[in-house]
Amino acid sequence: MGYGNAGSVTPTAPSIHINGSCSIDGLPLFGPLEMTLNAGQWTCVLGRSGVGKSTLLRLTAGLECGGVFQGTIAASDHHPVNNRVSFMAQMDLLLPWLTVIENTVLGARLRGKQPDFLRAKNLLERVGLADHLKRKPRELSGGMRQRNALARTLMEDRPIVLLDEPFSALDASSRAEMQELAAEVLVGKTVLLVTHDPTEAVRLGHQIIVLGRTSVQKWPVPANPPVRDSFAPDTVTCQSDLLSVLRGLM
Amino acid sequence: MSRLGYTIGASALGLLLWQGVVWVTDVPNFILPPPSRVAAAAWDNRILLMEHASITLTEVLLGLLIGSCLGAFTAIQLALFPRLHRLFMPLLVFTQAVPVFALAPILTLWFGYGIASKIVMAVLIIYFPVTSAFYDGLTRIPPDVLDLARTMGASKRHIMQRIRIPYALPSLGTGLTLAAVYAPIGAVIGEWVGASKGLGYLMLLANGRAKTDLMFASLIVLAVMTATLHFGVTKAAVGLQQN
């Protein structure tokens, strides 16, 4: 198929081609639309509330979305998509009775496999939780819980990662830290990030897509690669233009 | 003041009121004996009371154990199989519409005058509250957590075992707390209808012979037993909630 092979491509991460439309109870939600998530890169999807950003993400994950999707969601390597995704949401979804390390290895436990605790420890060290392995979620700050959720996502080691506003509930400084950390640890994976925040999209996206009811607009990004400096002139211009579009001013 | 302090204070107040009513109304002893007489009757009949109380306690504990296990098992099956839930739940609600009192004679006919019919009675009375509380907990899991589990490739069985049951344990605790209060009711109803042992039987016997003081003594033993059981189960349920 040969969709978007730009950038450094990890052999395991395919590009994803989405083509189709979605309706809920016979009413069109979005589409027909066509977009490609480039292999090994971050695609940031922006759009006003209710245009179906989260639905798009759920469809890609193969989860029920309450709507009917007509079309295809296909990977460039022709293997199925939905058993190769891992998923991170705005809520950390940590299980309150498990410790940091137990939450990290949840996937293996749920598949009835023996968890690889050594690898989990290494990942937790990478996200800065090495000193908190035995703590429960209620003993952690919001930022630390999201780091735990990120470690759990990494533990799954899937080539495709779907992020549904994972940083939006954090305070400004934790958010900036988490964005950098996520960009660093998810390098080489095909990432779909749904966000409300133009700043976040411009900071992290290899490509930015503005989703409307009937339109898919590919938004030009600054030439330098992510993670971009939020205060660089071209970044700031791009952010403010995006905000204007989202507000319907342009 | 501690919780124990309040409990003692409340008991003292209750006894004082009781004694006060007896003094003021000068009601005959066979209608309402004063607390002092009841205490004396309890002490004189302590062996008898212990004997009958141990029978009732056995019935209650076995009923509680069997009923809770059956209820928990049913709740898990209903949560695993939504079709089963749609089929079974109306039936379960209908059985709740039949007063257990009305079933007591037939249960005695089927299971005899021994402790079996009382255990069945206790099981019947607690089965529904345990099932419905636990089922509620099992089905009220945040949907995002289940979605996460699905993207991880979890099987239904593992989701049940590792997510839904732990999530629902506090609800099970609520059901068990209720069950601890209901189970003695079931056992005593069973003893009223047909038995030769147990506190319910002793109460009927004492009442029939106008030994009202012994009747009250049995009643108090039963109440203390139920309260202790409730206290113990509540403690255990708090343990479940803090998992």
Side-chain angles (χ1 to χ4, degrees):
Chain A
M1 267 191 271
Y3 304 111
N5 282 321
S8 60
V9 180
T10 332
T12 47
S15 66
I16 311 287
H17 189 67
I18 301 168
N19 186 3
S21 57
C22 186
S23 57
I24 292 179
D25 297 330
L27 296 168
L29 177 66
F30 64 70
L33 63 78
E34 189 171 3
M35 67 166 81
T36 301
L37 314 179
N38 293 334
Q41 294 197 345
W42 284 61
T43 302
C44 298
V45 171
L46 282 156
R48 303 182 76 133
S49 296
V51 294
K53 299 189 297 292
S54 291
T55 306
L56 185 71
L57 192 135
R58 294 180 67 84
L59 285 167
T60 313
L63 294 169
E64 282 169 33
C65 66
V68 180
F69 180 72
Q70 284 181 313
T72 54
I73 296 178
S76 54
D77 55 10
H78 306 289
H79 290 299
V81 173
N82 55 31
N83 57 4
R84 285 190 292 165
V85 303
S86 60
F87 175 66
M88 190 174 159
Q90 184 181 348
M91 311 261 281
D92 52 66
L93 305 178
L94 298 173
L95 300 181
W97 60 88
L98 296 182
T99 61
V100 166
I101 190 147
E102 288 167 341
N103 264 305
T104 308
V105 300
L106 180 70
R109 279 277 157 79
L110 286 177
R111 288 186 291 272
K113 301 260 168 62
Q114 187 62 37
D116 183 349
F117 283 107
L118 194 67
R119 195 165 150 256
K121 262 185 205 161
N122 287 335
L123 288 175
L124 286 168
E125 202 168 320
R126 249 176 113 186
V127 302
L129 288 177
D131 298 334
H132 308 283
L133 300 184
K134 298 275 180 244
R135 297 231 193 151
K136 300 256 173 96
R138 63 167 175 275
E139 301 166 307
L140 303 175
S141 69
M144 286 159 97
R145 283 203 293 269
Q146 248 354 23
R147 282 161 190 272
N148 196 174
L150 182 62
R152 182 187 58 199
T153 310
L154 290 171
M155 193 67 196
E156 292 300 287
D157 200 21
R158 304 281 177 91
I160 305 155
V161 177
L162 307 174
L163 305 173
D164 194 357
E165 303 184 47
F167 316 125
S168 59
L170 301 175
D171 64 83
S173 64
S174 313
R175 189 185 312 150
E177 270 175 39
M178 273 301 284
Q179 287 168 345
E180 283 156 24
L181 181 64
E184 181 195 320
V185 296
L186 294 176
V187 76
K189 297 188 186 292
T190 304
V191 179
L192 172 60
L193 170 70
V194 163
T195 178
H196 274 120
D197 180 6
T199 317
E200 182 167 279
V202 178
R203 200 152 186 249
L204 294 174
H206 291 90
Q207 67 167 340
I208 294 176
I209 288 174
V210 180
L211 194 63
R213 271 208 187 283
T214 52
S215 66
V216 178
Q217 198 177 356
K218 236 180 125 167
W219 196 259
V221 291
N224 57 329
V227 176
R228 298 187 185 91
D229 176 7
S230 292
F231 303 104
D234 52 347
T235 319
V236 173
T237 316
C238 187
Q239 284 165 17
S240 59
D241 287 354
L242 257 179
L243 186 60
S244 307
V245 169
L246 289 172
R247 296 180 67 194
L249 300 178
M250 264 168 76
Chain B
M1 207 160 42
S2 70
R3 244 183 85 179
L4 185 69
Y6 275 108
T7 311
I8 293 172
S11 313
L13 194 68
L15 287 176
L16 218 65
L17 267 171
W18 180 0
Q19 187 73 55
V21 167
V22 174
W23 272 336
V24 170
T25 59
D26 202 16
V27 53
N29 277 341
F30 69 91
I31 302 275
L32 180 65
S36 52
R37 256 191 95 110
V38 173
W43 180 251
D44 293 344
N45 296 291
R46 60 190 183 278
I47 307 285
L48 186 73
L49 280 168
M50 288 281 262
E51 248 174 87
H52 288 281
S54 69
I55 298 289
T56 305
L57 187 64
T58 309
E59 294 161 359
V60 169
L61 288 179
L62 282 174
L64 205 55
L65 186 72
I66 297 170
S68 307
C69 290
L70 278 179
F73 176 78
T74 310
I76 291 171
Q77 298 310 312
L78 294 184
L80 272 177
F81 306 106
R83 268 166 200 273
L84 192 67
H85 175 248
R86 283 198 286 275
L87 186 77
F88 198 68
M89 212 53 188
L91 213 69
L92 215 58
V93 172
F94 181 76
T95 61
Q96 284 305 293
V98 178
V100 185
F101 296 85
L103 284 177
I106 201 88
L107 289 178
T108 310
L109 183 69
W110 288 348
F111 298 100
Y113 281 81
I115 68 169
S117 57
K118 287 80 192 170
I119 293 171
V120 173
M121 204 69 185
V123 168
L124 280 183
I125 213 167
I126 70 168
Y127 177 66
F128 187 75
V130 172
T131 305
S132 101
F134 194 29
Y135 175 81
D136 254 22
L138 287 172
T139 48
R140 234 187 292 124
I141 313 296
D144 292 346
V145 172
L146 296 179
D147 285 342
L148 177 74
R150 278 180 204 121
T151 62
M152 287 172 159
S155 68
K156 243 173 129 176
R157 189 174 70 88
H158 281 112
I159 292 182
M160 180 55 78
Q161 193 182 329
R162 303 226 180 251
I163 297 183
R164 296 175 76 172
I165 291 178
Y167 246 112
L169 284 181
S171 307
L172 178 64
T174 310
L176 292 181
T177 316
L178 279 177
V181 181
Y182 289 163
I185 300 177
V188 168
I189 293 169
E191 289 170 356
W192 279 347
V193 169
S196 52
K197 280 171 191 155
L199 285 174
Y201 162 78
L202 190 61
M203 280 155 81
L204 276 191
L205 192 77
N207 210 25
R209 295 182 183 176
K211 288 185 170 176
T212 317
D213 45 5
L214 181 59
M215 213 275 291
F216 270 88
S218 324
L219 195 64
I220 287 168
V221 170
L222 180 69
V224 168
M225 198 171 88
T226 305
T228 311
L229 196 64
H230 180 251
F231 179 75
V233 172
T234 308
K235 276 267 178 212
V238 169
L240 284 181
Q241 275 150 24
Q242 284 173 345
N243 51 35

